[in-house]
Amino acid sequence: MDTEKNVMPEKRERTPVYTIARGLAWVLFHTVFPVRYHHTEKMDLRAPYIMIANHKSGLDPIVLAVPCKDYEIRFVGKKELTKNKLLAWLVGQLHMITVDRHNSDLAAMRLCIKALREKQVLGIFPEGTRHLPDLMSEVETGTAVLALRAKVPLLPVYISSKLRPFHITHVYVGETMDISDLCAQGCDTQTAEQVSQRIRETFYAMRENCK
């Protein structure tokens, strides 16, 4: 095996648009839309891993990108974002992986696994939407299946509220979720549900601890 070919750098260069967006967000998060980050040292992980977060607003991806200093996060987003030409261009520039939420999107799954094999960080919102009645009341199975197939850890990030002018939003980085015990059992409906349940319980605990 050609080991040299399979070795990826610890840090990857960011695209210009990603760098600019992250810089502008840093300014906004220290002024108009204040964000307070907690335990960001837990992001000092060696990729690959999947960063998971609850979904409060369309700006959540940049909320996660600002404190992640070592990697450009490859976010997974709904394919509807590409219907608008400007958004489609932005999605392309940010190397976002778009997914069809209403069907089994095997192509998107393959791209996600490829990114993780290349030692990148995936950013996923397991809820799949911003309009759920309660935190993680629904967890899409795709996140669990991906984690089981790729056999990578999950890093949970809890976002306390939607960004609002001059209202502090708190962002808490949790402990890495090790699912190696479930990976050893294989990827099936039962283990995927167990991963999903662990995600729910993790975020419930984070919400309680942040009060």
Side-chain angles (χ1 to χ4, degrees), residues 94-162:
L94 295 177
H95 297 166
M96 182 181 290
I97 297 173
T98 56
V99 60
D100 185 347
R101 297 179 300 166
H102 307 295
N103 296 288
S104 180
D105 196 334
L106 296 180
M109 180 67 72
R110 286 193 291 268
L111 286 174
C112 289
I113 292 176
K114 180 176 183 292
L116 292 169
R117 285 177 178 170
E118 292 176 349
K119 294 182 169 57
Q120 298 186 44
V121 177
L122 278 184
I124 299 180
F125 301 98
E127 295 166 309
T129 179
R130 304 188 298 270
H131 308 293
L132 292 180
D134 191 24
L135 176 69
M136 295 293 169
S137 58
E138 295 180 21
V139 176
E140 295 191 345
T141 58
T143 302
V145 170
L146 177 58
L148 288 167
R149 288 185 177 177
K151 298 178 180 171
V152 297
L154 299 166
L155 181 67
V157 181
Y158 175 69
I159 302 171
S160 67
S161 61
K162 183 178 180 179

Side-chain angles (χ1 to χ4, degrees), residues 146-202:
L146 177 58
L148 288 167
R149 288 185 177 177
K151 298 178 180 171
V152 297
L154 299 166
L155 181 67
V157 181
Y158 175 69
I159 302 171
S160 67
S161 61
K162 183 178 180 179
L163 294 180
R164 287 183 287 169
F166 309 109
H167 173 84
I168 297 177
T169 295
H170 292 274
V171 177
Y172 298 86
V173 183
E175 298 291 341
T176 305
M177 296 175 59
D178 181 6
I179 60 168
S180 56
D181 59 320
L182 296 177
C183 290
Q185 298 178 33
C187 181
D188 56 28
T189 302
Q190 183 177 0
T191 53
E193 178 51 38
Q194 287 180 281
V195 172
S196 297
Q197 184 58 30
R198 286 190 188 182
I199 291 174
R200 294 187 193 95
E201 292 172 354
T202 296

